Amino acid sequence: MGQNLILNMNDHGFTVVAFNRTVSKVDDFLSNEAKGTRVIGAHSLQEMAALLKKPRRVMLMVKAGAAVDEFIEHLLPVLEQGDIIIDGGNSLFEDTTRRTKYVESKGLLYIGTGVSGGEEGARHGPSIMPGGSPAAWPHVKPIFQAIAAKVADTGGSAQAAPCCDWVGENGAGHFVKMVHNGIEYGDMQLICEAYHLMKDGLGMTAEEMHQVFAEWNKSELDSYLIEITRDILAFKDTDGQPLVDKILDTAGQKGTGKWTVIASQDMGIPITLIAEAVYSRCVSAMKDRRVEASRVFKPSKTKFTGDRKRWIDDIRKALYASKIVSYTQGYMLMRAAAELYKWNLNYGGIALMWRGGCIIRSAFLGDIKQAFDKNPNLTNLLLAPFFKKAIKGCTRSWRKVVSTAVKKGIPVPAFSTALAFFDGFRSERLPANLLQAQRDYFGAHTYERLDQPRGQFFHTNWTGHGGRVASGTYTV
C-alpha cells in the first residue's frame, strides 16, 4: 500500500521522500519499482525531515495500534511546529481522536485518514477519507484529491469529482472508513449467501453462477464486489476445476467489522446486518465443530423447486433489498456518531467518496448520493422515494427466498436479519410494551404509558409485595 501510494503521488507530479525502518527496503524500492522516478530515499527520520518541504507532511502506513503511537513519538523530535503527521492505516477512530489532541498539544497537526481500494487502488486511485486537524487539510488537499479515484458527480457537474474530501474533526475520517469496512463485511456476506442459495438450493455449478453474476453486474447490483465474484467463479485451478470449490470455508477478519458493531452498541444503533456478517465469519471459523455437528444434524439435500430463472431473479431482488437495509443501517450509525461527536458529516459527499476507488464502489452509491442531493435532511434511506419504490418491488421475492431457505436449512443470516429489521422498522407497534412490563416487574425499571405524555415514567407493584420503590430511568 505504502509503495503504491508513493508511486501514485509521483505520477501526479509530487516529489515524495520514502523511508522504512528496514532501510534496505528503501534501497530495494528505489532500484526497482521507483527506478526512474522523482522519489527520494531517506535512511533515517532526520534525513527524511531535512528533505521535506515545510510544512512537512509525513504519512504513516503502519499497522494500527501501538505501532502508530510509537512512530509518532519517533517523529516528534525531528518535526517542527505546524508540520503534519498523517496516519493512513485502519486505526480505531477513538485512537485518532486521542492522537489528534496529543499531536496538537505538541504544536503540530494530525490527520487520520481512511484509505480504501487495496494495493490496486493505492496505485491508480483510492477512496480517501481524511479527518483530524482542520488546519491541516489545505496542505494535504491538493495531494489527496489528485491521487484519489475520480467519478462522475451525479449532481450534474460535467467534471469528474475526486473520491476524497474533508470528513470532519478528530476521528471522523477513520469512523467513516470503519463504517465503510463494516458495510463491506455486509456486502460480502450477502453475496456469499446468494452464492450458497444458488449452489446448494439450485444445484448450480461455478460456471453457471459466473454467468449469473456477470448478468447481475449489468443491473442495479453493478459493483466491484459483484465483478470480482464473477471473475472468481470463472477462475480454474491447474487441473481445470473451479478454484473456489477447493478453498477452505473459514473466513478471516482484521477487526474493523467488529469495531463497527461495538460502536453501534455503544450508540444504540441496530446495524443488525453488519453484526450478522461479523458473526458469520466467526461461525465459519468453527470448521471442526461444524463438521462434527453436520454428522449429527444432517442437512437437507432437497433442492428448490420451480423455475430456476425465476428463482435466480428472486435471489437477486433479495440481495438488492438486503443491501439497501445494510447501507441504511450504516448511514444511521454515521448520523448518530455525527450527533454524538458534533461532526458535520456530508452524507451525500460520503457516498460520492465511496463511488470509486474503494472496495464497496458501486453504481448503487450514486443512487444514495442523489437521495441526499434531493433531500439533504433525509433521516433514513428507506424513506427516500427511490429506495421506497425499490424495496416495495423486492419484498415478495425477499420473503420467498428467506422462508424457503429456512425450510431447506440453508443459513441466510444477513438476508433474514435485513428482512427482520425492515419489518421491525415499519411496525407502528412492537411487543416492547411487554418487555418493559417484565423489566418493571422484576427490577422496578418503570415504563411510559400510551395515554400519558412521553417522559413521564410509572411503576406498578405487580405482586403487592414490592413496596413503594422504583429504579431510576436511564438508557445505557
Side-chain angles (χ1 to χ4, degrees):
M1 284 282 287
Q3 288 187 5
N4 281 353
L5 281 172
I6 289 172
L7 294 173
N8 189 350
M9 292 175 186
N10 174 82
D11 290 348
H12 286 85
F14 300 102
T15 301
V16 186
V17 179
F19 172 76
N20 191 295
R21 286 171 291 185
T22 307
V23 293
S24 61
K25 292 185 177 181
V26 176
D27 295 329
D28 183 63
F29 177 52
L30 294 176
S31 300
N32 293 281
E33 293 87 353
K35 188 175 182 179
T37 69
R38 292 182 300 277
V39 177
I40 302 169
H43 295 84
S44 70
L45 291 177
Q46 291 79 4
E47 182 185 2
M48 179 194 73
L51 289 166
L52 288 172
K53 182 174 67 175
K54 298 180 182 179
R56 300 175 181 89
R57 287 147 289 189
V58 181
M59 187 168 183
L60 311 180
M61 296 299 293
V62 298
K63 185 179 179 181
V68 179
D69 292 309
E70 180 184 341
F71 222 100
I72 288 172
E73 293 303 325
H74 289 318
L75 282 171
L76 289 175
V78 302
L79 298 180
E80 300 175 3
Q81 187 168 349
D83 287 344
I84 303 163
I85 298 174
I86 306 163
D87 172 18
N90 272 331
S91 288
L92 180 62
F93 76 98
E94 292 162 321
D95 288 341
T96 301
T97 296
R98 170 177 57 80
R99 289 169 186 145
T100 301
K101 293 175 181 177
Y102 174 68
V103 171
E104 287 179 345
S105 75
K106 300 295 183 180
L108 284 76
L109 301 174
Y110 192 79
I111 286 180
T113 185
V115 180
S116 179
E119 294 178 1
E120 183 179 344
R123 182 67 185 88
H124 301 293
S127 170
I128 307 176
M129 297 152 261
S133 306
W137 177 232
H139 302 288
V140 175
K141 179 179 178 179
I143 303 171
F144 278 7
Q145 292 196 337
I147 68 170
K150 309 295 189 299
V151 295
D153 188 345
T154 55
S157 172
Q159 188 173 0
C163 296
C164 171
D165 205 351
W166 184 248
V167 177
E169 296 183 357
N170 296 313
H174 271 140
F175 188 91
V176 168
K177 174 56 162 60
M178 178 191 75
V179 175
H180 162 284
N181 285 21
I183 290 173
E184 177 185 310
Y185 273 59
D187 275 355
M188 294 171 74
Q189 179 63 28
L190 289 170
I191 291 170
C192 288
E193 290 179 16
Y195 159 80
H196 198 177
L197 287 164
M198 287 187 283
K199 181 174 182 288
D200 287 4
L202 296 176
M204 295 176 65
T205 65
E207 178 58 32
E208 289 171 328
M209 289 183 282
H210 158 72
Q211 298 295 335
V212 169
F213 278 97
E215 286 301 313
W216 285 0
N217 204 43
K218 301 172 187 175
S219 72
E220 69 279 351
L221 295 176
D222 173 17
S223 66
Y224 173 71
L225 286 170
I226 293 288
E227 176 187 322
I228 68 168
T229 303
R230 173 201 67 191
D231 296 344
I232 288 167
L233 289 166
F235 196 92
K236 301 296 191 293
D237 200 3
T238 53
D239 62 357
Q241 298 301 309
L243 178 59
V244 69
D245 292 340
K246 300 181 180 182
I247 296 175
L248 185 67
D249 56 321
T250 59
Q253 53 184 315
K254 290 190 173 180
T256 47
K258 178 184 72 174
W259 290 349
T260 313
V261 175
I262 291 172
S264 76
Q265 292 172 339
D266 288 341
M267 297 180 204
I269 302 299
I271 57 164
T272 57
L273 195 148
I274 295 172
E276 285 292 353
V278 171
Y279 292 131
S280 291
R281 296 194 187 194
C282 298
V283 172
S284 79
M286 302 165 61
K287 177 65 176 180
D288 292 341
R289 281 168 280 179
R290 288 193 290 113
V291 170
E292 182 181 358
S294 71
R295 298 188 183 116
V296 178
F297 307 104
K298 297 188 182 300
S300 170
K301 298 292 186 182
T302 58
K303 305 298 182 186
F304 292 4
T305 58
D307 182 75
R308 176 188 278 192
K309 188 175 181 180
R310 179 169 292 179
W311 267 116
I312 291 171
D313 195 53
D314 287 333
I315 294 170
R316 176 187 62 82
K317 289 179 179 178
L319 173 53
Y320 183 44
S322 299
K323 184 182 178 81
I324 293 171
V325 167
S326 181
Y327 282 71
T328 295
Q329 293 179 346
Y331 268 81
M332 287 166 56
L333 182 59
M334 288 191 289
R335 183 173 290 278
E339 292 177 4
L340 178 63
Y341 298 112
K342 305 296 185 279
W343 295 331
N344 184 26
L345 298 184
N346 180 345
Y347 302 107
I350 290 169
L352 182 63
M353 278 190 278
W354 290 349
R355 273 201 65 210
C358 67
I359 304 302
I360 64 171
R361 61 184 182 265
S362 65
F364 174 86
L365 284 158
D367 299 325
I368 295 178
K369 172 70 163 55
Q370 286 185 325
F372 282 106
D373 285 346
K374 291 176 180 177
N375 181 8
N377 298 316
L378 181 66
T379 58
N380 191 288
L381 279 177
L382 290 175
L383 303 180
F386 177 88
F387 292 111
K388 280 194 293 186
K389 182 179 179 181
I391 283 281
K392 287 179 179 179
C394 294
T395 303
R396 171 174 270 180
S397 293
W398 197 7
R399 296 190 188 283
K400 176 184 173 183
V401 168
V402 171
S403 60
T404 305
V406 171
K407 290 176 184 177
K408 300 295 184 184
I410 298 176
V412 286
F415 278 17
S416 56
T417 197
L419 181 57
F421 171 83
F422 171 70
D423 284 336
F425 183 72
R426 69 185 186 88
S427 296
E428 182 181 356
R429 190 163 168 82
L430 291 168
N433 54 320
L434 175 58
L435 190 151
Q436 200 62 17
Q438 292 169 333
R439 295 182 73 238
D440 190 55
Y441 187 108
F442 66 69
H445 292 294
T446 73
Y447 54 85
E448 294 174 277
R449 294 177 60 105
L450 290 171
D451 54 1
Q452 297 295 328
R454 291 295 303 269
Q456 292 187 23
F457 292 88
F458 302 86
H459 167 62
T460 294
N461 185 353
W462 300 88
T463 64
H465 305 295
R468 293 182 299 150
V469 296
S471 172
T473 58
Y474 59 91
T475 300
V476 176

